Amino acid sequence: MRSLIVLVSLVVCFGLDSSGAEFSLGAYGGADMLTGGSVLDFKIGATYGASIKYHLDRSWRLTLDASRVTLSNTTGGDSTSAIGSLKSNAAVDFTAWRVAGSLQRLLLSPQSRFNIALGAGGGMTLWKIIDPAGDTTFQTVDEHQGKLAFKASELFVGASAGFLFALSSRAFIESRLRADYFTGAGANFASEIDAARDRWLIGGTLSINLRFGRSQHADDWRLPQANQENQRTSDIRRAQRAVGDADGDGVRDEDDTCLATPRGVIVDNHGCPVDNDRDGVPDGLDDCPGTSSEARGRVDIHGCPVDSDFDGVPDFRDQCPGNLIGAVIDSTGCPVDSDKDGVPDGLDDCPNTLFGVKVDRYGCVDLAIFAKPMILHIDYMSGSFEVDAKAKSELQKLAALLSVVPDIRLEISAYTDDIGTDAANLRLSEKRANRVRDYLVAYGVPDERMKPFGRGETNPLASNSTAEGRARNRRIEIQFFK
């Protein structure tokens, strides 16, 4: 087998070389794994082989390769399953010769030092399952339940991906991943054997390859595109020096005050760069000619005004630098906040929030305010249920907030101190609760969303033995529900 491969390689090499074609020979090593079965569990093993590539054109190439691999079954597992007479922990080896052909396509420019190749093809694997102790082939059963050797010359289909790096015009290395699927063609095992055996041979290799023959293409691996451009530039510079214009600006060296002008710069009669907008970037290299003098010192390397916060207003005109990306801004570069909630338009998920309503970082009503009761300590006159001015302002803000969350309901509980009888304090607390409800209704909250309760002198927050304690106990508590 190996002699045949060497012979074919030599014949092809001399034939291709005499015809002026291009090809490459490679040797590789790597690792293979056999998987896809339900019984045997082969360890990863070393593989080695050789390949020949015929370069069809700049990007397509045909590849023929042959490799050898031996894999050993894991013997440390249980023996609960078997493939024919072989138990899952049996000491067996899988040995194989693999011969494959594939068509490869380079994805990047052939002149690139680094490249990627994808390939697809197929071939034949000559494999057998052997006893490593005696180097004998195990027996199994065929589709007619007759005995036969556990081996096959089986056809496979496969795909590969390679990563190439050119060392020179004649040598490159290739790291390759490939996957072969055994089709069953050439294997005549019983169906239960066929279902339990491994069908995927997956490998990774690293090869060194040498190119031979005479290229029919214009690309030259010895001079990548960047080097060719540098060579052309050097030729132009030498020609310019020969006529006495070293920097190639059109002004002879004897009249040139600025002898090292960069290529592409517009110069004056003395060979010095012209910078009409005086932004520090000479004309010819300035992508934004005519920049305002106000931007001086605030332009990038291309002569364009810098816009640090990417809001469309250059820094020299931006009165609010550092805007968040996505915010709507005005002509001065400052955020627009139509509903005055502190979250700029463009980032405001609720752009029409009522003025004065507390919002979250997305500009929407902060519902955390409803997580705990609202307590109003109203400065009541003795025996009075009238709401003071401060409490009215708080109720007005609450009503505005409730108008944008219509599913919130309220329980209004009024409490008194212990001055007076229990019955009198209960009646007074009912009047105070109803009065708060009346104000909320006047501010636009529907009556059916509220339930007032008079709690009297129950549940004091402080001792009623002091004036301060009694003032704390005279309160309104508003509980929120959905």
Side-chain angles (χ1 to χ4, degrees):
M1 180 69 181
R2 282 174 284 186
S3 299
L4 177 62
I5 293 174
V6 172
L7 179 61
V8 170
S9 299
L10 290 174
V11 171
V12 172
C13 289
F14 284 111
L16 291 177
D17 192 36
S18 63
S19 65
E22 231 185 315
F23 61 96
S24 56
L25 294 177
Y28 61 82
D32 278 352
M33 63 179 293
L34 190 64
T35 186
S38 58
V39 176
L40 300 177
D41 181 18
F42 290 99
K43 304 173 186 176
I44 296 175
T47 185
Y48 55 90
S51 66
I52 180 171
K53 301 179 189 291
Y54 174 54
H55 300 228
L56 296 171
D57 61 17
R58 292 162 57 91
S59 298
W60 291 93
R61 51 193 66 186
L62 285 173
T63 298
L64 175 68
D65 71 88
S67 61
R68 167 77 173 173
V69 66
T70 298
L71 306 174
S72 298
N73 184 48
T74 301
T75 58
D78 56 45
S79 59
T80 56
S81 57
I83 177 169
S85 61
L86 291 179
K87 292 188 177 182
S88 57
N89 64 345
V92 300
D93 282 353
F94 171 90
T95 65
W97 274 100
R98 173 185 175 277
V99 180
S102 65
L103 181 64
Q104 288 184 315
R105 173 74 160 88
L106 296 180
L107 300 185
L108 306 180
S109 168
Q111 292 179 327
S112 174
R113 184 171 290 273
F114 171 81
N115 221 315
I116 300 173
L118 296 183
M124 178 179 289
T125 299
L126 289 71
W127 63 265
K128 56 185 176 180
I129 302 293
I130 66 172
D131 180 357
D135 197 24
T136 57
T137 304
F138 280 101
Q139 298 290 305
T140 188
V141 293
D142 62 18
E143 52 193 8
H144 303 294
Q145 300 303 308
K147 288 187 176 296
L148 82 164
F150 205 170
K151 65 179 183 178
S153 299
E154 187 171 5
L155 297 179
F156 67 85
V157 293
S160 66
F163 304 89
L164 292 76
F165 182 79
L167 300 175
S168 69
S169 62
R170 291 297 184 185
F172 65 92
I173 57 175
E174 179 179 9
S175 175
R176 188 179 180 201
L177 298 175
R178 55 174 169 77
D180 300 340
Y181 176 72
F182 297 147
T183 63
N188 301 308
F189 306 116
S191 58
E192 63 272 15
I193 302 296
D194 213 34
R197 71 186 181 97
D198 296 282
R199 302 295 284 266
W200 286 94
L201 183 64
I202 299 173
T205 61
L206 182 66
S207 65
I208 180 73
N209 301 265
L210 299 178
R211 290 162 55 106
F212 294 93
R214 184 172 300 168
S215 175
Q216 297 173 334
H217 313 300
D219 57 304
D220 186 353
W221 286 51
R222 291 169 299 177
L223 273 180
Q225 190 171 0
N227 290 339
Q228 291 176 351
E229 180 62 30
N230 291 339
Q231 183 65 39
R232 286 194 293 269
T233 301
S234 297
D235 293 342
I236 292 171
R237 291 295 189 187
R238 282 195 295 270
Q240 290 167 346
R241 284 194 293 270
V243 298
D245 182 12
D247 55 6
D249 61 1
V251 179
R252 294 178 61 84
D253 291 348
E254 59 189 34
D255 300 321
D256 199 333
T257 307
C258 303
L259 289 172
T261 305
R263 188 176 181 82
V265 171
I266 296 175
V267 298
D268 58 21
N269 294 333
H270 303 289
C272 292
V274 174
D275 182 12
N276 285 316
D277 56 8
R278 299 183 181 180
D279 60 0
V281 179
D283 296 358
L285 301 181
D286 196 333
D287 290 344
C288 299
T291 302
S292 171
S293 59
E294 299 176 68
R296 197 169 299 159
R298 296 187 182 184
V299 298
D300 58 23
I301 60 173
H302 305 292
C304 296
V306 174
D307 180 14
S308 302
D309 53 8
F310 304 102
D311 60 1
V313 179
D315 288 358
F316 75 92
R317 288 184 186 150
D318 200 334
Q319 296 181 17
C320 300
N323 289 323
L324 294 175
I325 295 177
V328 176
I329 52 95
D330 58 23
S331 59
T332 66
C334 292
V336 176
D337 184 10
S338 301
D339 54 6
K340 302 295 189 294
D341 61 358
V343 180
D345 296 359
L347 302 176
D348 196 334
D349 291 343
C350 301
N352 298 311
T353 307
L354 292 176
F355 178 73
V357 173
K358 187 177 181 180
V359 298
D360 58 21
R361 63 192 182 98
Y362 303 105
C364 296
V365 174
D366 188 358
L367 298 181
I369 190 175
F370 299 120
K372 58 183 180 180
M374 179 180 182
I375 299 178
L376 300 175
H377 291 286
I378 301 176
D379 189 13
Y380 287 111
M381 299 287 291
S382 179
S384 171
F385 53 86
E386 187 56 50
V387 178
D388 60 25
K390 181 180 178 183
K392 288 179 184 178
S393 176
E394 293 296 319
L395 293 174
Q396 192 169 10
K397 292 178 182 179
L398 176 60
L401 183 59
L402 291 171
S403 67
V404 294
V405 282
D407 56 338
I408 298 293
R409 296 181 174 274
L410 293 73
E411 279 190 3
I412 305 170
S413 298
Y415 297 90
T416 67
D417 56 27
D418 66 349
I419 303 299
T421 65
D422 291 349
N425 285 335
L426 181 60
R427 288 193 298 271
L428 179 60
S429 65
E430 290 173 350
K431 292 179 181 180
R432 290 176 175 175
N434 288 329
R435 192 60 168 163
V436 169
R437 181 212 41 209
D438 294 342
Y439 271 106
L440 288 174
V441 169
Y443 294 140
V445 182
D447 181 54
E448 59 269 17
R449 292 175 62 182
M450 298 177 285
K451 291 183 179 180
F453 295 95
R455 307 295 187 183
E457 58 190 67
T458 61
N459 299 326
L461 296 179
S463 171
N464 281 304
S465 61
T466 65
E468 292 80 5
R470 290 191 295 272
R472 288 194 64 196
N473 293 334
R474 294 191 298 270
R475 69 193 187 278
I476 298 292
E477 288 189 6
I478 301 177
Q479 189 82 36
F480 304 100
F481 302 92
K482 277 198 171 183

